[in-house]
Amino acid sequence: VADRGAPNRRIRLSPACCPQVARMAPLMETLGPIAGGCFFTAAAMYPVDVVRALRMASAGGSMDSTLVLLRRFVAVHGVVGLARQGVLPEVVRATWMRCVQFFCMPLFHLKFTGRPVSQGSSASKCGAGVLATVPAVLTITPLENAKIALQLDEARKFENSMVKVLRQLGARSWAAPLIGWQGVQLRQAAWFAPYICALGPLERTCREALGSAPGADMFGKVMGGFAAGTLGAALNTPFDVVRTNLQKEGISRISSGMANREIYSMAFGIGEYMRIGKRIIGQNGFGAMYRGFAFKAVHLGGSGACLAYFIPLFQQAMGVKNVGIA
């Protein structure tokens, strides 16, 4: 802060005289390692996410096999499209979302319980995890729509441009980029809260099972992260199937014209979300709610493993104290 008597003189706040600074300092230091771990995770898992999106988007219509969907995708975008088509909004979305969640979760836990995550109960960790998804989801929903539009763009009308998608949506209504917000919120809360709650116990169980084997600590983190991520995937897949189809329908209807009331309903209405879910079950049975689960489990299980491994790795490389997320 500036010294009013001497404008050019700066005064450093000491953690000793400002308890809030002392509490926030360790959390602020983790932003670098969290961002590094989240970026590497998003980039590594993107091809799996493309296949997941293709499978889930087909739940509300034809039940084509994965091979048929992939052949159709490759015919339009080429094999390189698995690593390129829609990759920018996905990497930005996933990196930002996880940074916000992993940073806010310990902060919310400390704020509402007065204890660090390591001293929290399962209920307090789940509650803080759910709260941490709220600011993340509000900011990533436009990127979710851009990613879905590009991954399912068989006519190539958006030319793999996130800006073109968001420009078209934003020109229609301020709420159009937020179509499917309710689904993204339900999906994210259903994955992150169980993941963050189960991660610590599963990592410890895996390390104990490995005993004194070489690399037990590293493999324990990877295996525990994969198990926690897969558990979250099992819980959030139905929400994500409905969300994907809601956003797919919303994007297609925007181009043909939609009233503002319909846009608001698709962005924030639970009734519209339930309508899509009932339609999917009515057409293809309840099993369609787990359409693409195998790829979802690989995607979120792999993401959970990468996060559990890369974030501590970056913390160690940057010399940052691990304040703990599990």
Side-chain angles (χ1 to χ4, degrees), residues 185-208:
Q185 180 60 63
L186 290 170
R187 175 208 71 181
Q188 207 54 37
W191 184 79
F192 187 66
Y195 173 78
I196 210 71
C197 185
L199 180 60
L202 287 172
E203 281 185 349
R204 289 190 290 272
T205 299
C206 291
R207 281 198 298 266
E208 291 172 1

Side-chain angles (χ1 to χ4, degrees), residues 63 284-291:
M63 297 292 281
N284 298 308
F286 184 78
M289 298 294 279
Y290 276 87
R291 179 82 164 163

Side-chain angles (χ1 to χ4, degrees), residues 55-63 241 245 248 279-280 283-284 288:
R55 291 283 292 176
M56 287 187 170
S58 68
S62 64
M63 297 292 281
V241 168
N245 284 273
K248 174 185 175 183
R279 188 188 71 191
I280 292 172
Q283 289 179 346
N284 298 308

Side-chain angles (χ1 to χ4, degrees), residues 45 54 80 163 222 264 304:
M45 300 308 299
L54 294 174
V80 72
V163 174
V222 172
Y264 299 150

Side-chain angles (χ1 to χ4, degrees), residues 237-257:
T237 295
F239 298 108
D240 205 21
V241 168
V242 179
R243 185 274 311 177
T244 300
N245 284 273
L246 175 61
Q247 291 182 319
K248 174 185 175 183
E249 180 177 316
I251 292 166
S252 64
R253 287 173 60 186
I254 281 288
S255 59
S256 59

Side-chain angles (χ1 to χ4, degrees), residues 110-167:
L110 186 64
K111 175 70 175 178
F112 292 108
T113 69
R115 301 190 306 271
V117 176
S118 59
Q119 298 176 15
S121 64
S122 296
S124 67
K125 291 178 183 179
C126 278
V130 170
L131 288 174
T133 65
V134 175
V137 168
L138 191 61
T139 53
I140 67 162
T141 300
L143 295 173
E144 288 278 7
N145 278 304
K147 180 188 73 169
I148 289 293
L150 295 179
Q151 289 178 337
L152 304 180
D153 185 19
E154 294 186 356
R156 304 187 70 174
K157 64 179 179 179
F158 295 119
E159 299 176 342
N160 199 25
S161 172
M162 174 179 67
V163 174
K164 287 187 177 181
V165 177
L166 295 177
R167 186 178 295 161

